[in-house]
């Protein structure tokens, strides 16, 4: 009798596993189709495909095995010739589902005037040393509003490794940059920050 029960439970488990695999494949197919349609998206156009992607991204459980494949598909789309509006949308999704795998692709966008803000938005959430390093590196690759934005993100992350550079940027000729450096130093706190601000 016990053998019969074991066989029955094994059969049920197999059926459930097959059903789950079929569901996962269906979800990934939907992502592929939506990304293909979203690649040409511009503000004001049909946002249906984007909403479909967003729904999947936000509803995936934290322990879902689909998160990795979905992230990879988003990164592939980000590296394509998709429109700027589509790439901004992709960055927003990566803020939700992204892992350390998305640091390098997002870091490339930090110097892009059209995409830097959304790249910072995504990187700023990642609790990864690699994300911090990417932002620190971008301090020497940007200027003006882009630089001020990166400074702001580092301040929000309480990045102590940025302190010396922020102190240096207090003397930047761009008032927006200098102000951002002052605000971020205030967030970091500490004697060195206070002394620099007083000077």
């Amino acid at each position: 009798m016990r053998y019969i029960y074991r066989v029955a439970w094994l059969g049920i488990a197999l059926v459930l596993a097959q059903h789950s695999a079929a569901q996962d494949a269906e979800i990934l197919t939907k992502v592929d189709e939506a990304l293909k349609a979203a690649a040409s998206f511009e503000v004001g156009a049909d946002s249906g495909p984007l909403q479909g992607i967003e729904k999947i991204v936000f509803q995936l459980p934290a322990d879902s095995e689909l998160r990795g494949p979905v992230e990879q598909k988003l990164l592939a789309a980000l590296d394509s010739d998709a429109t700027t509006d589509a790439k901004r949308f992709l960055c927003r999704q990566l803020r939700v589902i992204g892992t350390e795998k998305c640091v390098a692709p997002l870091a490339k966008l930090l110097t892009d005037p059209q995409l830097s803000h959304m790249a910072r938005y995504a990187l700023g959430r990642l609790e990864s040393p690699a994300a911090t390093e990417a932002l620190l590196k971008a301090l020497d690759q940007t200027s003006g509003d882009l630089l001020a934005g990166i400074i702001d993100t580092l301040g929000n992350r309480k990045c102590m490794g940025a302190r010396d550079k922020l102190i240096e940027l207090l003397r930047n000729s761009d008032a927006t940059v200098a102000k951002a450096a002052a605000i971020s130093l205030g967030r970091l706190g500490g004697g060195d920050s206070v002394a620099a601000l007083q000077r």
Side-chain angles (χ1 to χ4, degrees), residues 9-25 65:
W9 280 114
L10 182 60
I12 293 171
L14 182 60
V15 170
L16 290 175
Q18 290 174 336
H19 178 67
S20 177
Q23 280 188 324
D24 288 355
E65 294 182 359

Side-chain angles (χ1 to χ4, degrees), residues 93-106:
Q93 306 318 300
L94 289 169
R95 177 177 170 84
V96 176
I97 202 173
T99 65
E100 193 162 313
K101 293 178 182 177
C102 73
V103 171
L106 289 171

Side-chain angles (χ1 to χ4, degrees), residues 4 26-27 52 64 91 115-116 120 133 162 166 170 177 189:
I4 294 175
E26 183 181 352
I27 289 173
S64 173
C91 288
L115 295 168
S116 180
R120 286 193 297 106
E133 285 302 315
L166 294 180
L170 284 174
V177 171

Side-chain angles (χ1 to χ4, degrees), residues 6-76:
R6 287 174 184 169
V7 171
W9 280 114
L10 182 60
I12 293 171
L14 182 60
V15 170
L16 290 175
Q18 290 174 336
H19 178 67
S20 177
Q23 280 188 324
D24 288 355
E26 183 181 352
I27 289 173
L28 292 177
T29 298
K30 287 182 178 178
V31 172
D32 282 333
E33 292 173 350
L35 284 173
K36 192 178 296 183
S40 59
F41 174 77
E42 292 184 350
V43 173
D46 176 23
S47 62
L50 278 63
Q51 292 174 10
I53 296 168
E54 191 170 57
K55 183 177 180 181
I56 290 172
V57 167
F58 275 81
Q59 289 184 349
L60 280 178
D63 60 350
S64 173
E65 294 182 359
L66 278 180
R67 293 179 73 88
V70 170
E71 178 188 16
Q72 202 59 49
K73 290 180 182 298
L74 294 174
L75 289 173

